[in-house]
Amino acid sequence: MSQQKHCQSGIPTFSENHSWTVVLIVMDNLVEVDNMTFRRVDRVIYEGISLKVPKGKITAVMGPSGIGKTTLLKLIGGQLLPEEGDIRFDGESIPDMSRSKLYHTRRRMSMLFQSGALFTDMSVYDNVAFPLKEHTKLSDDVISTIVSLKLQAVGLRGAAQLMPSELSGGMARRAALARAIALDPDLIMYDEPFAGQDPISMGVLVKLIRELNDALDLTSIVVTHDVTEVLTIADYIYILADKRVIGEGTADEIRNSDSELVQQFLKGEADGPVPFHYPAESLSSSLLGGAE
Amino acid sequence: MKFFQSIGAKTLAKLSTAGRAALMLFGALVAVPKFKNVSLTIRQVYVVGVQSLLIIIVSGLFIGMVMALQGYTILVDYGAEGSLGPMVALSLLRELGPVVTALLFAGRAGSALTAEIGLMKATEQLSSMEMMAVDPLRRVVAPRFWAGMISMPMLALIFSAVGILGGHMVGVDWLGVDAGSYWSIMQSTVEWDKDVLNGVIKSLVFALVVTWIAIFKGYDSIPTSEGISKATTETVVFSSLAVLGLDFVLTALMFGIE
Protein backbone atom coordinates (compact mmCIF):
# COMPACT_ATOMS: atom_id res chain seq x y z
CA MET A 1 0.00 0.00 0.00
CA SER A 2 2.65 2.48 1.05
CA GLN A 3 4.82 1.38 -1.87
CA GLN A 4 2.11 2.30 -4.35
CA LYS A 5 1.55 5.62 -2.72
CA HIS A 6 5.21 6.54 -2.89
CA CYS A 7 5.53 5.42 -6.48
CA GLN A 8 2.47 7.32 -7.60
CA SER A 9 3.54 10.50 -5.90
CA GLY A 10 7.03 10.03 -7.29
CA ILE A 11 6.22 9.44 -10.94
CA PRO A 12 4.69 12.78 -12.05
CA THR A 13 7.74 14.84 -11.14
CA PHE A 14 10.08 12.26 -12.62
CA SER A 15 13.72 13.14 -12.72
CA GLU A 16 16.82 11.00 -12.37
CA ASN A 17 17.55 12.39 -8.94
CA HIS A 18 14.05 12.17 -7.67
CA SER A 19 13.45 8.57 -8.72
CA TRP A 20 16.44 7.54 -6.61
CA THR A 21 14.92 9.09 -3.49
CA VAL A 22 11.69 7.29 -4.20
CA VAL A 23 13.50 3.96 -4.36
CA LEU A 24 15.14 4.64 -1.03
CA ILE A 25 11.86 5.40 0.66
CA VAL A 26 10.20 2.34 -0.82
CA MET A 27 12.99 0.00 0.28
CA ASP A 28 11.86 -1.24 3.67
CA ASN A 29 13.97 -3.23 6.05
CA LEU A 30 12.54 -6.43 7.49
CA VAL A 31 15.27 -6.80 10.11
CA GLU A 32 17.28 -4.02 11.67
CA VAL A 33 20.05 -4.57 14.15
CA ASP A 34 20.80 -1.30 15.85
CA ASN A 35 23.98 -0.66 17.81
CA MET A 36 23.73 -4.06 19.47
CA THR A 37 26.15 -5.43 22.04
CA PHE A 38 26.17 -9.04 23.13
CA ARG A 39 28.50 -10.96 25.38
CA ARG A 40 28.76 -14.54 26.54
CA VAL A 41 29.94 -14.79 30.13
CA ASP A 42 33.03 -12.55 29.87
CA ARG A 43 33.67 -12.75 26.13
CA VAL A 44 32.32 -9.89 24.05
CA ILE A 45 30.86 -11.30 20.84
CA TYR A 46 29.44 -8.11 19.33
CA GLU A 47 30.17 -4.53 20.22
CA GLY A 48 27.79 -1.90 18.89
CA ILE A 49 27.03 -3.74 15.68
CA SER A 50 24.41 -2.42 13.23
CA LEU A 51 23.04 -4.00 10.11
CA LYS A 52 19.93 -3.89 7.98
CA VAL A 53 18.19 -6.62 6.03
CA PRO A 54 16.04 -5.16 3.24
CA LYS A 55 12.75 -6.85 2.33
CA GLY A 56 12.78 -9.26 -0.57
CA LYS A 57 16.58 -9.40 -0.80
CA ILE A 58 19.24 -11.94 0.05
CA THR A 59 21.57 -10.50 2.63
CA ALA A 60 24.75 -12.42 3.38
CA VAL A 61 26.66 -12.26 6.61
CA MET A 62 30.21 -13.54 6.26
CA GLY A 63 33.09 -13.85 8.63
CA PRO A 64 35.69 -16.21 10.00
CA SER A 65 34.39 -19.15 11.99
CA GLY A 66 33.95 -18.63 15.70
CA ILE A 67 32.92 -15.02 15.21
CA GLY A 68 29.37 -15.70 16.39
CA LYS A 69 27.46 -15.70 13.12
CA THR A 70 25.03 -18.33 14.38
CA THR A 71 24.68 -16.26 17.54
CA LEU A 72 23.52 -13.36 15.38
CA LEU A 73 20.73 -15.50 13.91
CA LYS A 74 19.70 -16.66 17.39
CA LEU A 75 19.61 -13.02 18.50
CA ILE A 76 17.33 -12.15 15.57
CA GLY A 77 15.15 -15.16 16.42
CA GLY A 78 14.89 -13.99 20.04
CA GLN A 79 16.54 -17.12 21.44
CA LEU A 80 19.23 -14.91 22.94
CA LEU A 81 18.86 -11.40 24.28
CA PRO A 82 21.31 -8.59 23.51
CA GLU A 83 22.92 -6.69 26.35
CA GLU A 84 22.48 -3.32 24.70
CA GLY A 85 20.95 -1.98 21.54
CA ASP A 86 17.93 -3.16 19.68
CA ILE A 87 16.88 -5.75 17.10
CA ARG A 88 13.74 -4.99 15.15
CA PHE A 89 11.69 -7.35 13.04
CA ASP A 90 9.30 -5.51 10.75
CA GLY A 91 9.62 -2.46 12.98
CA GLU A 92 8.97 -4.23 16.27
CA SER A 93 11.65 -4.73 18.88
CA ILE A 94 12.39 -8.44 19.41
CA PRO A 95 14.03 -8.13 22.87
CA ASP A 96 11.05 -6.13 24.19
CA MET A 97 8.44 -8.64 23.06
CA SER A 98 6.41 -10.66 25.52
CA ARG A 99 6.82 -14.41 25.27
CA SER A 100 3.54 -15.00 23.49
CA LYS A 101 4.17 -12.11 21.10
CA LEU A 102 7.64 -13.52 20.36
CA TYR A 103 6.20 -16.97 19.64
CA HIS A 104 3.63 -15.36 17.39
CA THR A 105 6.32 -13.42 15.53
CA ARG A 106 8.44 -16.53 15.09
CA ARG A 107 5.75 -18.00 12.89
CA ARG A 108 6.76 -15.36 10.36
CA MET A 109 10.43 -16.32 10.44
CA SER A 110 12.17 -19.60 10.03
CA MET A 111 15.68 -20.84 10.31
CA LEU A 112 17.61 -23.49 8.46
CA PHE A 113 20.07 -24.97 10.92
CA GLN A 114 23.51 -26.11 9.87
CA SER A 115 22.75 -29.72 10.72
CA GLY A 116 19.25 -29.49 9.27
CA ALA A 117 17.90 -30.31 12.76
CA LEU A 118 15.25 -32.64 11.37
CA PHE A 119 13.32 -34.53 14.03
CA THR A 120 14.97 -37.92 13.90
CA ASP A 121 11.90 -39.82 15.11
CA MET A 122 9.71 -38.63 12.23
CA SER A 123 9.74 -39.26 8.47
CA VAL A 124 10.57 -36.46 6.05
CA TYR A 125 6.83 -36.03 5.39
CA ASP A 126 6.01 -35.65 9.10
CA ASN A 127 8.90 -33.26 9.55
CA VAL A 128 7.56 -30.93 6.88
CA ALA A 129 4.00 -31.36 8.15
CA PHE A 130 5.07 -30.61 11.75
CA PRO A 131 4.76 -26.79 11.70
CA LEU A 132 1.50 -27.04 9.75
CA LYS A 133 -0.01 -29.47 12.25
CA GLU A 134 1.16 -27.36 15.18
CA HIS A 135 0.01 -23.99 13.95
CA THR A 136 -2.90 -24.52 11.59
CA LYS A 137 -6.20 -26.35 11.72
CA LEU A 138 -5.94 -27.57 8.14
CA SER A 139 -7.34 -30.98 7.28
CA ASP A 140 -4.97 -33.84 6.64
CA ASP A 141 -5.70 -33.73 2.91
CA VAL A 142 -4.74 -30.07 2.63
CA ILE A 143 -1.62 -30.63 4.72
CA SER A 144 -0.67 -33.55 2.49
CA THR A 145 -0.99 -31.34 -0.60
CA ILE A 146 1.05 -28.53 0.92
CA VAL A 147 3.77 -30.94 2.03
CA SER A 148 3.95 -32.47 -1.45
CA LEU A 149 4.30 -29.03 -3.02
CA LYS A 150 7.01 -27.98 -0.59
CA LEU A 151 8.91 -31.22 -1.11
CA GLN A 152 8.52 -30.84 -4.87
CA ALA A 153 10.09 -27.38 -4.61
CA VAL A 154 13.24 -28.87 -3.07
CA GLY A 155 13.16 -31.96 -5.28
CA LEU A 156 12.43 -34.48 -2.53
CA ARG A 157 8.82 -35.47 -3.17
CA GLY A 158 9.98 -39.03 -3.80
CA ALA A 159 11.78 -39.13 -0.45
CA ALA A 160 8.73 -38.22 1.66
CA GLN A 161 8.55 -41.55 3.48
CA LEU A 162 12.28 -41.82 4.25
CA MET A 163 13.58 -41.29 7.78
CA PRO A 164 16.17 -38.52 8.34
CA SER A 165 18.85 -41.14 9.04
CA GLU A 166 18.40 -42.43 5.47
CA LEU A 167 19.13 -39.05 3.88
CA SER A 168 22.49 -37.74 2.72
CA GLY A 169 23.72 -34.46 4.22
CA GLY A 170 22.57 -32.44 1.23
CA MET A 171 19.16 -34.10 1.15
CA ALA A 172 18.70 -33.53 4.89
CA ARG A 173 19.35 -29.85 4.39
CA ARG A 174 16.87 -29.69 1.52
CA ALA A 175 14.25 -31.50 3.60
CA ALA A 176 14.86 -29.02 6.40
CA LEU A 177 14.47 -26.23 3.86
CA ALA A 178 11.08 -27.64 2.84
CA ARG A 179 10.10 -27.63 6.52
CA ALA A 180 11.38 -24.06 6.90
CA ILE A 181 9.13 -22.79 4.09
CA ALA A 182 6.12 -24.87 5.14
CA LEU A 183 4.37 -21.95 6.84
CA ASP A 184 5.32 -19.48 4.08
CA PRO A 185 7.43 -17.25 6.33
CA ASP A 186 8.51 -13.68 5.57
CA LEU A 187 12.08 -14.26 6.66
CA ILE A 188 14.30 -17.27 6.32
CA MET A 189 17.70 -17.49 7.97
CA TYR A 190 20.27 -19.92 6.62
CA ASP A 191 22.99 -21.00 9.02
CA GLU A 192 26.03 -22.15 7.01
CA PRO A 193 23.91 -23.74 4.26
CA PHE A 194 26.96 -24.74 2.20
CA ALA A 195 29.19 -26.16 4.92
CA GLY A 196 30.33 -29.69 4.16
CA GLN A 197 28.42 -30.08 0.88
CA ASP A 198 29.69 -31.67 -2.30
CA PRO A 199 29.79 -29.43 -5.41
CA ILE A 200 26.47 -30.73 -6.76
CA SER A 201 24.49 -30.28 -3.52
CA MET A 202 26.16 -26.90 -3.16
CA GLY A 203 24.94 -25.89 -6.63
CA VAL A 204 21.45 -27.18 -5.79
CA LEU A 205 21.34 -25.18 -2.56
CA VAL A 206 22.59 -21.99 -4.21
CA LYS A 207 19.90 -22.34 -6.86
CA LEU A 208 17.21 -23.11 -4.26
CA ILE A 209 18.06 -20.16 -2.05
CA ARG A 210 17.90 -17.74 -4.97
CA GLU A 211 14.78 -19.24 -6.53
CA LEU A 212 12.81 -19.62 -3.32
CA ASN A 213 13.67 -16.06 -2.36
CA ASP A 214 12.32 -14.69 -5.63
CA ALA A 215 9.40 -17.08 -6.12
CA LEU A 216 7.99 -16.92 -2.59
CA ASP A 217 8.79 -13.24 -2.07
CA LEU A 218 10.96 -14.09 0.90
CA THR A 219 13.66 -12.16 2.65
CA SER A 220 16.77 -14.24 3.25
CA ILE A 221 19.74 -13.95 5.56
CA VAL A 222 22.58 -16.29 4.64
CA VAL A 223 25.31 -16.77 7.22
CA THR A 224 28.34 -18.43 5.71
CA HIS A 225 32.03 -18.37 5.07
CA ASP A 226 31.85 -19.78 1.54
CA VAL A 227 32.92 -16.71 -0.38
CA THR A 228 32.38 -17.76 -4.00
CA GLU A 229 28.85 -19.10 -3.54
CA VAL A 230 27.71 -16.08 -1.61
CA LEU A 231 29.12 -13.54 -4.03
CA THR A 232 27.00 -15.11 -6.77
CA ILE A 233 23.63 -14.95 -4.99
CA ALA A 234 23.72 -12.23 -2.33
CA ASP A 235 22.25 -8.82 -3.01
CA TYR A 236 24.08 -7.24 -0.11
CA ILE A 237 26.94 -8.52 1.98
CA TYR A 238 28.18 -7.80 5.48
CA ILE A 239 31.57 -9.07 6.60
CA LEU A 240 31.99 -9.44 10.33
CA ALA A 241 35.23 -9.77 12.22
CA ASP A 242 36.56 -8.60 15.53
CA LYS A 243 33.10 -7.96 17.07
CA ARG A 244 32.04 -5.50 14.37
CA VAL A 245 31.21 -5.04 10.69
CA ILE A 246 34.46 -4.64 8.77
CA GLY A 247 33.01 -4.38 5.32
CA GLU A 248 29.65 -4.13 3.59
CA GLY A 249 28.26 -3.62 0.14
CA THR A 250 27.16 -5.40 -3.00
CA ALA A 251 29.26 -8.27 -4.33
CA ASP A 252 31.25 -5.91 -6.58
CA GLU A 253 31.83 -3.40 -3.83
CA ILE A 254 33.13 -6.16 -1.59
CA ARG A 255 35.42 -7.54 -4.30
CA ASN A 256 36.93 -4.10 -4.82
CA SER A 257 37.16 -3.25 -1.15
CA ASP A 258 40.47 -1.73 -0.11
CA SER A 259 40.28 -3.12 3.42
CA GLU A 260 43.14 -5.55 4.06
CA LEU A 261 40.95 -7.61 6.35
CA VAL A 262 38.24 -8.02 3.71
CA GLN A 263 40.81 -8.95 1.08
CA GLN A 264 42.45 -11.50 3.37
CA PHE A 265 39.05 -13.08 3.94
CA LEU A 266 38.08 -13.13 0.26
CA LYS A 267 41.39 -14.56 -0.89
CA GLY A 268 41.73 -16.98 1.98
CA GLU A 269 45.26 -15.92 2.96
CA ALA A 270 46.69 -17.75 5.96
CA ASP A 271 48.27 -14.72 7.56
CA GLY A 272 47.31 -11.06 7.58
CA PRO A 273 45.27 -8.80 9.82
CA VAL A 274 43.75 -12.03 11.19
CA PRO A 275 46.95 -13.63 12.47
CA PHE A 276 47.88 -17.26 11.86
CA HIS A 277 48.99 -17.68 15.48
CA TYR A 278 46.65 -17.66 18.43
CA PRO A 279 47.90 -14.88 20.76
CA ALA A 280 50.85 -16.15 22.83
CA GLU A 281 54.17 -14.96 24.18
CA SER A 282 56.92 -15.10 21.57
CA LEU A 283 58.33 -18.53 20.78
CA SER A 284 61.90 -17.63 21.74
CA SER A 285 60.95 -16.29 25.16
CA SER A 286 58.71 -19.30 25.74
CA LEU A 287 61.56 -21.69 24.87
CA LEU A 288 64.10 -19.75 26.95
CA GLY A 289 61.63 -19.52 29.82
CA GLY A 290 61.41 -23.29 29.82
CA ALA A 291 65.23 -23.60 30.03
CA GLU A 292 65.68 -21.28 32.96
CA MET B 1 40.12 -16.40 50.76
CA LYS B 2 39.98 -18.32 47.50
CA PHE B 3 38.55 -21.23 49.43
CA PHE B 4 35.61 -19.17 50.63
CA GLN B 5 35.17 -17.70 47.18
CA SER B 6 34.91 -21.16 45.70
CA ILE B 7 32.35 -22.19 48.32
CA GLY B 8 30.30 -19.14 47.43
CA ALA B 9 30.62 -19.74 43.71
CA LYS B 10 29.66 -23.38 44.02
CA THR B 11 26.66 -22.57 46.21
CA LEU B 12 25.49 -19.96 43.73
CA ALA B 13 25.93 -22.39 40.85
CA LYS B 14 23.95 -25.09 42.69
CA LEU B 15 21.19 -22.61 43.56
CA SER B 16 20.90 -21.38 40.01
CA THR B 17 20.75 -24.99 38.78
CA ALA B 18 17.92 -25.67 41.23
CA GLY B 19 16.20 -22.52 40.00
CA ARG B 20 16.52 -23.58 36.36
CA ALA B 21 15.18 -27.03 37.22
CA ALA B 22 12.16 -25.52 38.95
CA LEU B 23 11.53 -23.12 36.07
CA MET B 24 11.74 -25.98 33.58
CA LEU B 25 9.24 -28.07 35.52
CA PHE B 26 6.97 -25.06 35.90
CA GLY B 27 7.21 -24.29 32.19
CA ALA B 28 6.34 -27.87 31.34
CA LEU B 29 3.45 -28.15 33.77
CA VAL B 30 1.62 -24.87 33.16
CA ALA B 31 1.08 -26.08 29.62
CA VAL B 32 -2.61 -26.09 28.83
CA PRO B 33 -3.21 -29.75 28.04
CA LYS B 34 -4.09 -30.10 24.39
CA PHE B 35 -5.63 -33.13 22.79
CA LYS B 36 -2.48 -33.47 20.69
CA ASN B 37 -0.35 -33.69 23.83
CA VAL B 38 -2.49 -36.50 25.21
CA SER B 39 -1.59 -38.73 22.29
CA LEU B 40 2.07 -37.72 22.69
CA THR B 41 1.87 -38.67 26.37
CA ILE B 42 0.33 -42.02 25.56
CA ARG B 43 3.16 -42.70 23.14
CA GLN B 44 5.68 -41.86 25.85
CA VAL B 45 3.88 -44.13 28.33
CA TYR B 46 4.55 -46.88 25.82
CA VAL B 47 8.23 -45.94 25.55
CA VAL B 48 9.06 -45.44 29.22
CA GLY B 49 6.42 -47.72 30.73
CA VAL B 50 5.55 -50.64 28.50
CA GLN B 51 9.09 -51.07 27.28
CA SER B 52 10.31 -51.23 30.90
CA LEU B 53 7.90 -54.08 31.67
CA LEU B 54 10.32 -56.91 30.92
CA ILE B 55 13.05 -55.77 33.30
CA ILE B 56 10.43 -54.99 35.98
CA ILE B 57 8.72 -58.40 35.70
CA VAL B 58 11.94 -60.41 35.65
CA SER B 59 13.42 -58.47 38.60
CA GLY B 60 10.17 -58.69 40.56
CA LEU B 61 9.96 -62.43 40.01
CA PHE B 62 13.48 -63.09 41.23
CA ILE B 63 13.27 -60.74 44.19
CA GLY B 64 10.05 -62.44 45.30
CA MET B 65 11.68 -65.85 44.90
CA VAL B 66 14.80 -64.88 46.86
CA MET B 67 12.74 -63.34 49.65
CA ALA B 68 10.63 -66.46 50.01
CA LEU B 69 13.75 -68.59 50.16
CA GLN B 70 15.49 -66.38 52.73
CA GLY B 71 12.29 -65.86 54.73
CA TYR B 72 11.51 -69.55 54.83
CA THR B 73 14.93 -70.57 56.23
CA ILE B 74 14.45 -68.11 59.12
CA LEU B 75 10.73 -68.55 59.77
CA VAL B 76 10.86 -72.35 59.69
CA ASP B 77 13.09 -72.40 62.80
CA TYR B 78 10.21 -70.82 64.77
CA GLY B 79 7.55 -72.88 63.02
CA ALA B 80 6.20 -69.65 61.57
CA GLU B 81 6.54 -70.49 57.90
CA GLY B 82 2.82 -69.79 57.53
CA SER B 83 3.68 -66.09 57.86
CA LEU B 84 5.76 -66.25 54.67
CA GLY B 85 2.89 -64.75 52.63
CA PRO B 86 2.49 -61.51 54.58
CA MET B 87 6.26 -61.16 54.95
CA VAL B 88 6.80 -61.27 51.20
CA ALA B 89 3.75 -59.11 50.43
CA LEU B 90 4.47 -56.42 53.03
CA SER B 91 8.15 -56.05 52.13
CA LEU B 92 7.27 -55.78 48.47
CA LEU B 93 4.32 -53.41 48.76
CA ARG B 94 5.86 -51.12 51.35
CA GLU B 95 9.50 -51.02 50.32
CA LEU B 96 10.95 -53.14 47.59
CA GLY B 97 8.24 -52.56 45.01
CA PRO B 98 8.44 -48.76 44.90
CA VAL B 99 12.17 -48.53 45.64
CA VAL B 100 13.55 -51.18 43.30
CA THR B 101 11.14 -50.13 40.55
CA ALA B 102 12.35 -46.54 40.90
CA LEU B 103 16.00 -47.65 40.76
CA LEU B 104 15.39 -49.84 37.72
CA PHE B 105 13.30 -47.09 36.12
CA ALA B 106 16.14 -44.62 36.61
CA GLY B 107 18.55 -47.00 34.91
CA ARG B 108 16.26 -48.15 32.13
CA ALA B 109 14.02 -45.18 31.31
CA GLY B 110 15.62 -42.23 33.11
CA SER B 111 18.98 -42.59 31.39
CA ALA B 112 17.23 -43.00 28.03
CA LEU B 113 15.18 -39.83 28.62
CA THR B 114 18.31 -37.84 29.48
CA ALA B 115 20.22 -39.12 26.48
CA GLU B 116 17.29 -38.53 24.13
CA ILE B 117 16.62 -34.98 25.23
CA GLY B 118 20.35 -34.23 25.41
CA LEU B 119 20.87 -35.44 21.86
CA MET B 120 17.85 -33.49 20.67
CA LYS B 121 19.53 -30.46 22.16
CA ALA B 122 22.91 -31.31 20.63
CA THR B 123 21.44 -31.78 17.16
CA GLU B 124 19.58 -28.45 17.48
CA GLN B 125 16.17 -30.13 17.33
CA LEU B 126 15.00 -28.26 20.44
CA SER B 127 16.34 -25.00 19.07
CA SER B 128 14.66 -25.50 15.72
CA MET B 129 11.41 -26.33 17.48
CA GLU B 130 11.65 -23.03 19.34
CA MET B 131 12.26 -21.22 16.07
CA MET B 132 9.14 -22.89 14.68
CA ALA B 133 7.27 -21.25 17.55
CA VAL B 134 6.67 -24.59 19.27
CA ASP B 135 7.67 -24.64 22.93
CA PRO B 136 9.90 -27.69 23.48
CA LEU B 137 8.94 -27.68 27.17
CA ARG B 138 5.36 -28.41 26.20
CA ARG B 139 6.01 -30.54 23.15
CA VAL B 140 8.96 -32.63 24.39
CA VAL B 141 9.37 -32.30 28.14
CA ALA B 142 5.78 -32.30 29.44
CA PRO B 143 4.63 -35.55 27.75
CA ARG B 144 7.72 -37.38 29.04
CA PHE B 145 7.18 -36.06 32.55
CA TRP B 146 3.55 -37.15 32.67
CA ALA B 147 4.44 -40.50 31.13
CA GLY B 148 6.86 -41.10 34.00
CA MET B 149 4.26 -40.10 36.58
CA ILE B 150 1.69 -42.47 35.06
CA SER B 151 4.01 -45.42 34.45
CA MET B 152 5.96 -45.64 37.68
CA PRO B 153 3.11 -46.49 40.14
CA MET B 154 1.76 -49.06 37.71
CA LEU B 155 5.18 -50.62 37.28
CA ALA B 156 5.65 -50.72 41.05
CA LEU B 157 2.34 -52.52 41.52
CA ILE B 158 3.19 -55.00 38.77
CA PHE B 159 6.58 -55.53 40.39
CA SER B 160 4.95 -56.35 43.74
CA ALA B 161 2.32 -58.61 42.19
CA VAL B 162 4.89 -60.61 40.24
CA GLY B 163 7.11 -60.77 43.34
CA ILE B 164 4.26 -62.23 45.39
CA LEU B 165 3.73 -64.86 42.68
CA GLY B 166 7.49 -65.60 42.70
CA GLY B 167 7.33 -66.02 46.48
CA HIS B 168 4.43 -68.40 45.99
CA MET B 169 6.44 -70.43 43.46
CA VAL B 170 9.35 -70.91 45.84
CA GLY B 171 7.53 -70.97 49.19
CA VAL B 172 4.46 -73.02 48.28
CA ASP B 173 5.31 -75.01 45.17
CA TRP B 174 8.89 -75.83 46.08
CA LEU B 175 9.35 -75.62 49.85
CA GLY B 176 5.87 -76.86 50.74
CA VAL B 177 4.31 -73.97 52.69
CA ASP B 178 0.54 -74.41 52.81
CA ALA B 179 -1.04 -72.46 49.96
CA GLY B 180 -4.10 -71.59 52.01
CA SER B 181 -2.12 -69.97 54.80
CA TYR B 182 0.15 -68.16 52.27
CA TRP B 183 -2.85 -66.37 50.78
CA SER B 184 -5.24 -66.09 53.73
CA ILE B 185 -2.76 -64.69 56.25
CA MET B 186 -1.53 -62.30 53.57
CA GLN B 187 -5.10 -61.13 52.98
CA SER B 188 -5.82 -60.59 56.64
CA THR B 189 -2.52 -58.79 57.31
CA VAL B 190 -2.08 -56.47 54.36
CA GLU B 191 -4.16 -53.30 54.69
CA TRP B 192 -5.34 -51.33 51.69
CA ASP B 193 -4.66 -47.79 52.90
CA LYS B 194 -1.71 -48.48 55.13
CA ASP B 195 0.30 -50.75 52.85
CA VAL B 196 -0.93 -50.63 49.26
CA LEU B 197 -1.82 -46.94 49.13
CA ASN B 198 1.32 -45.83 50.94
CA GLY B 199 3.37 -47.82 48.46
CA VAL B 200 1.61 -46.09 45.57
CA ILE B 201 2.21 -42.68 47.18
CA LYS B 202 5.86 -43.56 47.56
CA SER B 203 6.21 -44.52 43.94
CA LEU B 204 4.45 -41.31 42.86
CA VAL B 205 7.04 -39.31 44.80
CA PHE B 206 9.85 -41.37 43.26
CA ALA B 207 8.33 -40.90 39.81
CA LEU B 208 8.33 -37.14 40.29
CA VAL B 209 11.95 -37.10 41.43
CA VAL B 210 13.40 -39.56 38.91
CA THR B 211 11.59 -38.16 35.86
CA TRP B 212 12.31 -34.59 36.88
CA ILE B 213 16.00 -35.30 37.30
CA ALA B 214 16.13 -37.23 34.01
CA ILE B 215 14.45 -34.61 31.85
CA PHE B 216 16.23 -31.71 33.52
CA LYS B 217 19.65 -33.32 33.14
CA GLY B 218 18.93 -33.84 29.45
CA TYR B 219 17.52 -30.37 28.94
CA ASP B 220 20.37 -28.70 30.83
CA SER B 221 23.16 -30.89 29.43
CA ILE B 222 26.17 -29.48 27.65
CA PRO B 223 25.43 -30.43 24.03
CA THR B 224 28.59 -32.45 23.38
CA SER B 225 29.19 -36.20 23.52
CA GLU B 226 31.06 -35.73 26.79
CA GLY B 227 28.34 -33.53 28.24
CA ILE B 228 25.58 -36.00 27.40
CA SER B 229 27.51 -38.94 28.82
CA LYS B 230 28.05 -36.99 32.03
CA ALA B 231 24.39 -36.00 32.17
CA THR B 232 23.26 -39.61 31.71
CA THR B 233 25.54 -40.83 34.49
CA GLU B 234 24.37 -38.05 36.78
CA THR B 235 20.74 -38.94 36.12
CA VAL B 236 21.25 -42.50 37.33
CA VAL B 237 23.46 -41.56 40.29
CA PHE B 238 21.43 -38.58 41.51
CA SER B 239 18.06 -40.23 41.11
CA SER B 240 19.19 -43.45 42.83
CA LEU B 241 20.52 -41.48 45.79
CA ALA B 242 17.42 -39.30 45.89
CA VAL B 243 15.15 -42.35 45.84
CA LEU B 244 16.99 -44.10 48.66
CA GLY B 245 17.16 -40.95 50.78
CA LEU B 246 13.53 -40.05 50.21
CA ASP B 247 12.49 -43.62 50.94
CA PHE B 248 13.82 -43.29 54.46
CA VAL B 249 12.01 -40.01 54.99
CA LEU B 250 8.75 -41.37 53.58
CA THR B 251 8.98 -44.60 55.58
CA ALA B 252 9.57 -42.59 58.75
CA LEU B 253 6.52 -40.46 58.00
CA MET B 254 4.26 -43.36 57.00
CA PHE B 255 5.25 -46.20 59.29
CA GLY B 256 7.58 -44.64 61.88
CA ILE B 257 5.08 -43.26 64.39
CA GLU B 258 2.27 -45.54 65.36
Side-chain angles (χ1 to χ4, degrees), chain A:
Chain A
M1 205 53 195
S2 68
Q3 283 189 7
Q4 279 178 355
K5 209 174 164 188
H6 283 302
C7 289
Q8 280 165 0
S9 65
I11 286 164
T13 51
F14 194 82
S15 73
E16 185 106 16
N17 232 345
H18 204 117
S19 75
W20 181 234
T21 9
V22 171
V23 170
L24 275 184
I25 296 165
V26 168
M27 210 159 75
D28 252 335
N29 296 318
L30 187 61
V31 178
E32 287 175 354
V33 177
D34 190 13
N35 202 14
M36 183 262 295
T37 299
F38 178 75
R39 76 177 79 214
R40 268 213 160 118
V41 198
D42 291 333
R43 201 162 73 95
V44 179
I45 311 274
Y46 293 118
E47 206 162 359
I49 196 175
S50 296
L51 39 91
K52 291 182 172 66
V53 178
K55 267 183 190 160
K57 303 281 181 194
I58 298 180
T59 305
V61 178
M62 292 201 280
S65 38
I67 193 83
K69 299 192 292 293
T70 309
T71 308
L72 179 66
L73 296 187
K74 290 197 167 170
L75 281 159
I76 294 173
Q79 288 189 310
L80 299 170
L81 292 178
E83 194 174 285
E84 281 168 32
D86 201 7
I87 300 165
R88 283 183 296 275
F89 178 82
D90 211 4
E92 289 184 271
S93 166
I94 297 253
D96 292 346
M97 278 180 192
S98 69
R99 193 183 145 80
S100 59
K101 172 82 181 155
L102 177 65
Y103 267 75
H104 203 76
T105 307
R106 277 188 189 155
R107 295 183 195 184
R108 294 178 54 201
M109 47 170 97
S110 70
M111 181 156 166
L112 184 70
F113 284 81
Q114 192 173 349
S115 58
L118 291 170
F119 303 128
T120 42
D121 56 343
M122 297 180 196
S123 69
V124 169
Y125 176 92
D126 288 327
N127 262 287
V128 180
F130 179 84
L132 295 164
K133 284 183 181 162
E134 289 290 328
H135 292 310
T136 67
K137 291 197 167 85
L138 299 173
S139 70
D140 285 352
D141 287 344
V142 178
I143 287 183
S144 162
T145 312
I146 298 177
V147 172
S148 297
L149 289 174
K150 301 294 175 188
L151 283 172
Q152 176 74 15
V154 299
L156 287 181
R157 195 162 47 84
Q161 295 313 320
L162 295 183
M163 295 303 281
S165 55
E166 298 171 292
L167 302 178
S168 71
M171 284 163 81
R173 225 164 278 184
R174 277 149 71 191
L177 184 51
R179 184 177 69 180
I181 56 172
L183 282 176
D184 293 320
D186 297 335
L187 171 72
I188 179 159
M189 300 185 271
Y190 299 89
D191 185 10
E192 299 281 2
F194 313 116
Q197 298 291 309
D198 64 71
I200 300 176
S201 333
M202 194 110 97
V204 169
L205 283 167
V206 169
K207 179 172 164 291
L208 275 175
I209 292 174
R210 182 78 251 179
E211 284 183 355
L212 287 176
N213 191 78
D214 299 344
L216 302 178
D217 203 15
L218 288 168
T219 302
S220 310
I221 304 178
V222 184
V223 151
T224 182
H225 47 236
D226 290 279
V227 176
T228 24
E229 284 70 31
V230 155
L231 290 180
T232 58
I233 54 165
D235 296 307
Y236 202 79
I237 297 161
Y238 286 93
I239 300 188
L240 305 183
D242 197 21
K243 301 161 206 163
R244 61 199 168 85
V245 177
I246 58 157
E248 60 177 285
T250 59
D252 285 334
E253 285 166 9
I254 290 285
R255 274 194 206 100
N256 302 326
S257 163
D258 49 7
S259 156
E260 276 181 56
L261 207 52
V262 171
Q263 288 305 328
Q264 186 198 358
F265 186 75
L266 290 184
K267 291 175 185 153
E269 287 156 353
D271 211 352
V274 176
F276 171 69
H277 289 286
Y278 193 81
E281 58 176 329
S282 78
L283 180 65
S284 54
S285 74
S286 149
L287 290 175
L288 285 173
E292 276 165 10

Side-chain angles (χ1 to χ4, degrees), chain B residues 75-119:
Chain B
L75 291 174
V76 79
D77 289 345
Y78 305 96
E81 66 269 25
S83 302
L84 193 62
M87 193 210 85
V88 171
L90 285 180
S91 343
L92 280 169
L93 285 169
R94 286 182 178 182
E95 292 294 336
L96 288 170
V99 173
V100 179
T101 303
L103 295 179
L104 291 172
F105 188 88
R108 163 67 183 73
S111 58
L113 281 178
T114 306
E116 188 191 15
I117 295 178
L119 273 170

